[in-house]
Amino acid sequence: MMLFWILSFLSIPLLWIILYPLCICYFYKFKHGNKVYILYFPLLGQFKYRIDGVRFQKDVIYFKRNIAYNYPEVELIITHIFSRPYFIFIKPEKVKQMLYNYTNYKKRTDEIFRDIIACKGLVYAEGQQWKDQKRELSNFFTFESLSSKIPVIKLLIQETLQYQDNQRVNIIKQCARIAQRTMQICFFNQIKDEQINGQHLSEEFQDLSKYFIYVTYGSLIHQMRCFFGIKSLSTMKSYFMTAYEKQFLQRVYGVRNYINNLINNYQKGSDKDVFSILMRDPLSEDVREQIIHQYITFVFAGMDTTSHQAGMSIYMLAKHPQIQERLREELNKINFEEIDQKLINSLPLLNAFVNECLRTQTPSDGIIPRLSVKDHYVGEYLIKKDWYVDAGLQPMMTHPQYFENHLDFNLERWLNQSEPEAFLPFSYGPRNCLGQHLAKIEIKLILIYIMKTYKVILDDQTNLIMECNFLYAPQDDRLVKFIRI
């Protein structure tokens, strides 16, 4: 009898986890009809559909694309993470309303980010702290400031992108080296290219992003701990951690020690850098922590998205050889050494190509998930406090309602036409991407150099499988080969 009551008591939270999101899903489906699409699976929620996407379609977000393409009337996908509802908007008017009213949400910092990586950096900071940081750092992203960085970027590109004919290349990793060194030199005045744990900083950060995805999303043990309120790895007893989590934490502290050494050895020069903006005298532990988080934020935000987009853009050159030749003709009269920001922006075919790559190959599957801080409405949809909200950028930017022949890779849609309302590769509203113009400059310079130096062909040994390792990216980035012109 006692065993019966114990099992009955333990079954209550399990029933709650299973039934609560199911009730929410079908209440909204009953209320809003065909505008809502339900993705429910006990406990796993959207993770089940992501796993199936990779397994059966070689695309982790196939489920979102399929809904947008086959049910164009759908505005909202409702799924869940354990017991918590998860709303994904896929129509621009709802996405823009959500992102513009950013004070209704806080970004999902998910445990590890909370205290040892990035929650005090620009991407994850909230309220007045975020406003102060944006004001302090915005001057690094003005037209004049970005123009001054172009010579450094060009030099890094010329040094890095050197290949033998038909050599297999990890193209995203190569672009990450360029973006990472750009961040170090232009924003932190780090001329020396150093290593962490025996590899380049860009490779260490890429590895950490994969560790992070597994630790926070791929581990059922971690998800169960979070459900019961046990979150931070840095304060958790080691016997509660998995071996993978211990290894992740050790590498995170290796990166933190590296940045701490930079802070301790920093000497202010004549040029302004991020260190000089953030440093205080005396240097408190809180300020030191903010600098560590800001450094990690700059490298992650400035390296990962840019390198993935650049790598996938090079892949699209190889996939569409006729477009590659059209672009090369536009670039024939340009001397790479003489390129400046004004010239970059005056190349219509190149700009159209980059926009079409951003539309079809964006590395951001969605936004960083938001947690609602109060009850509010997005359009006619009630969002309750502590529910998750997201934007399906990929399905929105390839949606048949907003893009004619939406699956075609077509530069003409960008020539002599304004940008469609559904084109939001850098998010929207006050908290959109501060570094978007720098990212475009780096991508365009990489593409110009590649097309003036090499013919790009597909690597037929690679089977393209798109997964989500922090970003929406290929499982194997050996996508192309180069033949020197």
Side-chain angles (χ1 to χ4, degrees), residues 228-265:
F228 291 105
I230 304 171
K231 296 185 175 182
S232 175
L233 281 185
S234 65
T235 57
M236 190 186 300
K237 299 295 184 182
S238 62
Y239 46 77
F240 284 125
M241 297 183 196
T242 65
Y244 210 77
E245 288 171 336
K246 291 176 184 177
Q247 190 175 1
F248 174 81
L249 197 61
Q250 182 180 7
R251 293 182 73 166
V252 168
Y253 279 120
V255 170
R256 286 174 58 88
N257 290 337
Y258 167 79
I259 302 168
N260 256 318
N261 288 332
L262 294 177
I263 295 170
N264 292 336
N265 297 320

Side-chain angles (χ1 to χ4, degrees), residues 3-56:
L3 179 61
F4 170 78
W5 286 110
I6 292 173
L7 291 174
S8 298
F9 178 77
L10 292 176
S11 68
I12 293 173
L14 182 61
L15 285 172
W16 173 263
I17 294 172
I18 293 172
L19 294 179
Y20 176 67
L22 180 64
C23 293
I24 295 297
C25 285
Y26 283 96
F27 172 78
Y28 275 79
K29 179 66 177 175
F30 177 78
K31 183 176 182 180
H32 298 285
N34 291 338
K35 292 181 180 180
V36 171
Y37 195 99
I38 302 302
L39 288 175
Y40 174 83
F41 193 88
L43 300 180
L44 295 179
Q46 67 165 316
F47 296 133
K48 162 69 164 56
Y49 299 95
R50 286 178 172 269
I51 293 166
D52 285 351
V54 172
R55 183 180 176 188
F56 299 115

Side-chain angles (χ1 to χ4, degrees), residues 87 89 98 105 367-372 383 387-391:
F87 285 37
F89 290 100
M98 179 190 71
Y105 315 95
I367 59 172
I368 296 170
R370 266 60 163 177
L371 197 62
S372 174
I383 310 295
W387 288 3
Y388 284 130
V389 182
D390 199 350

Side-chain angles (χ1 to χ4, degrees), residues 351-456:
N351 290 318
F353 177 78
V354 169
N355 279 346
E356 189 70 344
C357 289
L358 285 167
R359 185 184 77 86
T360 61
Q361 306 296 323
T362 181
S364 299
D365 159 24
I367 59 172
I368 296 170
R370 266 60 163 177
L371 197 62
S372 174
V373 298
K374 61 182 178 182
D375 293 0
H376 66 281
Y377 281 87
V378 175
E380 65 267 41
Y381 304 103
L382 173 64
I383 310 295
K384 299 286 285 184
K385 183 181 178 182
D386 291 332
W387 288 3
Y388 284 130
V389 182
D390 199 350
L393 297 183
Q394 261 284 356
M396 186 176 71
M397 292 196 295
T398 53
H399 199 289
Q401 182 176 331
Y402 304 103
F403 296 93
E404 187 178 353
N405 300 318
H406 61 111
L407 297 180
D408 292 348
F409 190 84
N410 179 15
L411 304 193
E412 311 308 318
R413 72 174 86 246
W414 301 100
L415 298 174
N416 303 315
Q417 297 180 38
S418 58
E419 290 184 356
E421 63 172 338
F423 184 64
L424 303 175
F426 296 100
S427 191
Y428 179 81
R431 296 205 63 156
N432 69 350
C433 178
L434 187 62
Q436 59 182 285
H437 300 298
L438 174 62
K440 285 184 178 181
I441 289 171
E442 290 181 277
I443 292 165
K444 290 174 186 178
L445 286 173
I446 288 171
L447 291 172
I448 292 169
Y449 180 78
I450 288 289
M451 283 185 285
K452 291 189 72 64
T453 311
Y454 303 102
K455 178 182 178 182
V456 191

Side-chain angles (χ1 to χ4, degrees), residues 322-333:
Q322 291 181 330
I323 291 177
Q324 183 181 159
E325 287 306 312
R326 283 182 67 192
L327 288 165
R328 190 170 283 114
E329 287 175 13
E330 181 179 67
L331 301 175
N332 269 344
K333 297 178 181 178

Side-chain angles (χ1 to χ4, degrees), residues 79-94:
T79 182
H80 60 102
I81 297 178
F82 277 83
S83 64
R84 187 167 293 179
Y86 195 111
F87 285 37
I88 306 171
F89 290 100
I90 60 171
K91 291 291 185 74
E93 58 272 15
K94 300 297 188 296

Side-chain angles (χ1 to χ4, degrees), residues 170-201:
N170 294 96
I171 190 59
I172 291 176
K173 284 186 178 179
Q174 294 287 293
C175 293
R177 286 281 305 277
I178 296 166
Q180 170 251 317
R181 289 295 292 141
T182 297
M183 282 293 150
Q184 285 186 304
I185 295 170
C186 296
F187 292 90
F188 294 94
N189 201 24
Q190 281 183 262
I191 307 304
K192 188 178 178 182
D193 187 9
E194 298 174 309
Q195 295 191 346
I196 302 178
N197 296 328
Q199 59 181 354
H200 288 285
L201 188 64

